[in-house]
C-alpha cells in the first residue's frame, strides 16, 4: 500500500502577513488609517489631560491667559476706592484661580459651574435672597462630570422657560445636592448646533473632540522618530525559497520567527547565522524630512487650537524675518473673545452679589462695567517709540498754536483754553486774568 501524502494548502496572503504583519497588533501599518468620527468620552478627556503634556497645555494656556492680568471695575469719576475694595474681596475668594479652573473644565468636558456659597438665610436649593445676603463664604468649582442631573423651568410664560432651574451635583465625598441656578455661575464649552447641544443636555463641545486626531498624529510621529533613531539602518535578508515557504500553511509564521531571531541578535558585537543560500545586507537610512514632518503636525495643532507654537511648543517663530507678532495678535483676539463671552457675564453677576452683601458695605454706582487689563505688554523699545510719537505730536501742536498766536488769530488766553480742553496739559487757569490784563496794556 502506497502511503498517502499530506496535501499542502496554498495561501495567497502569506507574504502580506509575513512582511507587513497585517492583523497583528502594533505591527499592522494599516491600523493607523480610519474612517468616520470617533466619540471622545469624558474618561478619554481626563486621561489626555492627565498624562499628555501638550493636551494639558492646550486646555490650561487659554484659561490661564484669560485671567492672567485680572480686571477692574470702571465707572464715571476718579475715585478708585470701589475698585480696590472689589479687588480685595475677589482676592479673598480666589476669584482669579476659580474662574481659570472653571474655564479649563468647560473646555475639557464641555461645561462647568461655580457654585456661590452665600450666607443669605436660605437653603442652597432655593433662589438667592439678595435682600438677606450677608456675605459670600467661598466659591466651589464643579465640572460637567459632577453634574448628574438638572430640572428646567416649566412655566411657559416665564422668560427662563426650559432653562435650567436646578443642578443636581454629585460631590464624590458627601451627599448629592440640588443647587438653584441663581447661585451658579455657568461656563459652557465650545459652540455646537442646537441638535448636538440637546443631545448633550445643553452643554457645549469638548476641545479634544476636534483636536484628538492631530494630537495622536503628533504623538505617534514623535514615537516613530524616536524608533528611527534606534534603527538608523535597514536590514535586507534574501531567503532562499521565500515564495514557496510563504505559499504553504504556517509558512508566514516560520518566516516571522526567522526575522525576529535576526532582529534579536543583530548588533556590532553579535554574529548572525544564515543558510548558505541566504543573503544578509544592511542599508543605511536617512532621517531627512522627519523634522519638517513633525513641524507640520505642530502647525496643524496650532491652527486648530489658535495657540501659537511659541507658547504651546516653546519654539521660536519660523520663517525669515518672522517675529510671531501676527500669531500673537490672533491669539490675543481669541482670548479677548473668551473674556467677553464667558468671563465678563459671570464677573458681573459675582460683583453684583458682592455689592448686595451687607457685611462688605460695597456701594456700587448706578452705572459701572468690567474692563480687563491689556493682554499685550509692550517692550521697552515699543514704549520708547510710543513716547517719541506722542512727544512729536505735542511739539507739532505747540508749533501750530504758536503760529496762530503770532498771526494774531488766537491770543494767549484762547490758546490756553484750547490746550485745557484737550486735557493733555495741567493748566493753572488763575493766570488767565493776568494774561488778559497784560494783553490789554
Amino acid at each position: 500500500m502506497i502511503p498517502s501524502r499530506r496535501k499542502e494548502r496554498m495561501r495567497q496572503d502569506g507574504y502580506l502577513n509575513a512582511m507587513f504583519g497585517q492583523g497583528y497588533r502594533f505591527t499592522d501599518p494599516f491600523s493607523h488609517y480610519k474612517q468616520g468620527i470617533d466619540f471622545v468620552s469624558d474618561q478619554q478627556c481626563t486621561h489626555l489631560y492627565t498624562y499628555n503634556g501638550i493636551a494639558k497645555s492646550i486646555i490650561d494656556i487659554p484659561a490661564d491667559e484669560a485671567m492672567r492680568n485680572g480686571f477692574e471695575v470702571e465707572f464715571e469719576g476718579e475715585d478708585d476706592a470701589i475698585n480696590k475694595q472689589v479687588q480685595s474681596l475677589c482676592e479673598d475668594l480666589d476669584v482669579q484661580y476659580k474662574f481659570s479652573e472653571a474655564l479649563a473644565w468647560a473646555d475639557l468636558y464641555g461645561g462647568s459651574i461655580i457654585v456661590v456659597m452665600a450666607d443669605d438665610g436660605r437653603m442652597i436649593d432655593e433662589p438667592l435672597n439678595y435682600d438677606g445676603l450677608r456675605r459670600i463664604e467661598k466659591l466651589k468649582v464643579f465640572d460637567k462630570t459632577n453634574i448628574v442631573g438638572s430640572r428646567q423651568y416649566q412655566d411657559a410664560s416665564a422668560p427662563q422657560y426650559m432653562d435650567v432651574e436646578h443642578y443636581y451635583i454629585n460631590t464624590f465625598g458627601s451627599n448629592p445636592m440640588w443647587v438653584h441656578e441663581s447661585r451658579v455661575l455657568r461656563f459652557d464649552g465650545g459652540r455646537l448646533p442646537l441638535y448636538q447641544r440637546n443631545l448633550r443636555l445643553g452643554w457645549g463641545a469638548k476641545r479634544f473632540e476636534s483636536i484628538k486626531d492631530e494630537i495622536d498624529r503628533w504623538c505617534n510621529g514623535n514615537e516613530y522618530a524616536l524608533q528611527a533613531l534606534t534603527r538608523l539602518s535597514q536590514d535586507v535578508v534574501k531567503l532562499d525559497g521565500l515564495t514557496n515557504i510563504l505559499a504553504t500553511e504556517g509558512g508566514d509564521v516560520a518566516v516571522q520567527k526567522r526575522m525576529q531571531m535576526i532582529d534579536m541578535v543583530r548588533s556590532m558585537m553579535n554574529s548572525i547565522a544564515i543558510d548558505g543560500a541566504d543573503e544578509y545586507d544592511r542599508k543605511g537610512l536617512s532621517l531627512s524630512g522627519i523634522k519638517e514632518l513633525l513641524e507640520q503636525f505642530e502647525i496643524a495643532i496650532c491652527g486648530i487650537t489658535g495657540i501659537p507654537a511659541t507658547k504651546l511648543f516653546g519654539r521660536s517663530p519660523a520663517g525669515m524675518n518672522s517675529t510671531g507678532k501676527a500669531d500673537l495678535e490672533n491669539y490675543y483676539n481669541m482670548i479677548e473673545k473668551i473674556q467677553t463671552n464667558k468671563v465678563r457675564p459671570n464677573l458681573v453677576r459675582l460683583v453684583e452679589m458682592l455689592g448686595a452683601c451687607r457685611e462688605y458695605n460695597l456701594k456700587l454706582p448706578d452705572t459701572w462695567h468690567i474692563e480687563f487689563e491689556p493682554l499685550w505688554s509692550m517692550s521697552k523699545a515699543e514704549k520708547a517709540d510710543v513716547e517719541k510719537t506722542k512727544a512729536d505730536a505735542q511739539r507739532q501742536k505747540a508749533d501750530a498754536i504758536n503760529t496762530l498766536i503770532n498771526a494774531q488769530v488766537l491770543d494767549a488766553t484762547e490758546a490756553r483754553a484750547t490746550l485745557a480742553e484737550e486735557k493733555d496739559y495741567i493748566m493753572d487757569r488763575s493766570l488767565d486774568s493776568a494774561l488778559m490784563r497784560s494783553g490789554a496794556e
Side-chain angles (χ1 to χ4, degrees):
M1 183 175 180
I2 300 175
S4 61
R5 292 185 177 179
R6 180 183 176 183
K7 185 176 181 180
E8 296 182 347
R9 291 183 296 176
M10 303 296 291
R11 303 178 62 209
Q12 301 299 324
D13 62 343
Y15 183 83
L16 186 64
N17 280 355
M19 297 295 104
F20 286 161
Q22 188 175 17
Y24 292 90
R25 190 181 181 187
F26 303 125
T27 60
D28 183 1
F30 301 106
S31 64
H32 299 287
Y33 295 89
K34 60 181 179 180
Q35 295 179 350
I37 300 175
D38 288 342
F39 173 76
V40 182
S41 66
D42 292 337
Q43 290 75 15
Q44 287 177 300
C45 291
T46 302
H47 188 274
L48 273 172
Y49 180 83
T50 306
Y51 300 107
N52 188 298
I54 292 299
K56 178 178 171 62
S57 296
I58 290 173
I59 297 297
D60 287 345
I61 289 177
D64 293 339
E65 195 78 55
M67 300 301 300
R68 174 170 58 90
N69 290 340
F71 67 96
E72 289 188 352
V73 177
E74 293 191 354
F75 50 88
E76 292 294 332
E78 300 181 357
D79 186 9
D80 197 37
I82 295 177
N83 177 60
K84 290 181 179 179
Q85 187 178 2
V86 171
Q87 298 298 328
S88 177
L89 293 172
C90 289
E91 185 176 348
D92 293 339
L93 293 171
D94 202 9
V95 169
Q96 183 173 352
Y97 177 78
K98 297 296 184 181
F99 271 61
S100 177
E101 184 182 5
L103 287 171
W105 300 155
D107 212 15
L108 181 62
Y109 297 113
S112 65
I113 62 174
I114 296 179
V115 177
V116 181
M117 301 296 185
D119 181 6
D120 64 336
R122 289 183 179 179
M123 301 298 293
I124 198 170
D125 60 343
E126 296 177 321
L128 184 65
N129 180 17
Y130 279 86
D131 294 332
L133 194 56
R134 289 185 288 274
R135 64 182 177 275
I136 295 177
E137 302 287 355
K138 64 179 178 179
L139 305 178
K140 187 68 176 177
V141 181
F142 296 96
D143 61 59
K144 192 200 69 175
T145 62
N146 298 117
I147 305 168
V148 295
S150 61
R151 290 196 295 245
Q152 283 75 33
Y153 286 99
Q154 298 300 322
D155 186 1
S157 62
Q160 305 98 333
Y161 177 62
M162 294 307 294
D163 288 344
V164 176
E165 182 179 10
H166 290 93
Y167 295 90
Y168 192 54
I169 302 175
N170 188 353
T171 58
F172 299 109
S174 59
N175 295 328
M177 58 183 179
W178 286 101
V179 180
H180 194 268
E181 58 88 14
S182 61
R183 303 173 183 271
V184 168
L185 306 176
R186 175 171 174 145
F187 296 79
D188 275 322
R191 184 181 302 168
L192 279 176
L194 181 59
Y195 172 74
Q196 280 288 334
R197 185 173 287 273
N198 289 337
L199 292 178
R200 302 162 191 248
L201 303 179
W203 296 107
K206 307 169 188 175
R207 171 60 67 95
F208 291 149
E209 288 177 316
S210 60
I211 193 65
K212 182 177 181 298
D213 288 345
E214 279 67 26
I215 295 177
D216 289 342
R217 293 188 187 102
W218 180 79
C219 292
N220 291 334
N222 281 277
E223 181 180 352
Y224 295 150
L226 183 60
Q227 293 179 5
L229 291 177
T230 63
R231 298 191 62 172
L232 291 177
S233 62
Q234 176 66 51
D235 297 328
V236 179
V237 181
K238 297 181 181 179
L239 300 179
D240 187 41
L242 175 63
T243 303
N244 294 331
I245 296 174
L246 294 177
T248 61
E249 183 72 21
D252 56 340
V253 176
V255 171
Q256 283 187 339
K257 288 183 178 180
R258 177 64 172 158
M259 300 298 295
Q260 290 172 359
M261 182 186 68
I262 293 176
D263 283 340
M264 285 189 295
V265 301
R266 67 183 180 89
S267 73
M268 295 179 60
M269 305 300 296
N270 293 338
S271 301
I272 297 178
I274 59 177
D275 190 85
D278 297 342
E279 295 183 16
Y280 175 82
D281 191 13
R282 174 172 290 182
K283 306 291 185 179
L285 295 180
S286 173
L287 297 181
S288 62
I290 292 181
K291 176 178 178 293
E292 290 76 12
L293 182 60
L294 293 178
E295 288 180 352
Q296 292 303 312
F297 291 153
E298 293 179 359
I299 291 174
I301 293 177
C302 294
I304 296 177
T305 61
I307 306 175
T310 53
K311 285 186 171 290
L312 186 58
F313 295 100
R315 62 179 177 86
S316 302
M320 294 182 62
N321 301 323
S322 176
T323 62
K325 187 174 182 179
D327 294 339
L328 284 176
E329 184 176 354
N330 293 332
Y331 168 67
Y332 287 137
N333 289 337
M334 180 188 72
I335 299 299
E336 288 177 357
K337 290 181 181 179
I338 295 175
Q339 292 175 334
T340 301
N341 299 332
K342 297 183 179 182
V343 180
R344 179 176 282 120
N346 287 311
L347 277 177
V348 169
R349 285 193 60 198
L350 180 60
V351 173
E352 288 175 346
M353 294 179 189
L354 294 174
C357 294
R358 294 198 302 268
E359 290 189 3
Y360 301 150
N361 195 27
L362 177 62
K363 300 183 184 302
L364 291 172
D366 294 334
T367 57
W368 55 274
H369 66 278
I370 297 293
E371 191 68 29
F372 294 97
E373 295 292 338
L375 296 169
W376 188 281
S377 299
M378 291 188 297
S379 64
K380 292 183 178 180
E382 291 173 333
K383 290 180 180 179
D385 290 340
V386 171
E387 294 298 328
K388 182 178 183 300
T389 301
K390 289 182 179 180
D392 292 341
Q394 290 178 348
R395 183 174 62 253
Q396 293 176 2
K397 187 184 299 182
D399 292 342
I401 291 177
N402 190 45
T403 301
L404 293 174
I405 293 174
N406 293 333
Q408 296 184 353
V409 176
L410 294 176
D411 59 23
T413 303
E414 292 172 332
R416 288 170 57 81
T418 301
L419 293 175
E421 289 178 359
E422 296 180 357
K423 298 181 180 180
D424 289 335
Y425 302 91
I426 300 176
M427 309 296 295
D428 184 3
R429 302 307 300 275
S430 63
L431 299 176
D432 291 352
S433 58
L435 290 173
M436 293 178 64
R437 288 196 300 270
S438 63
E441 295 174 357

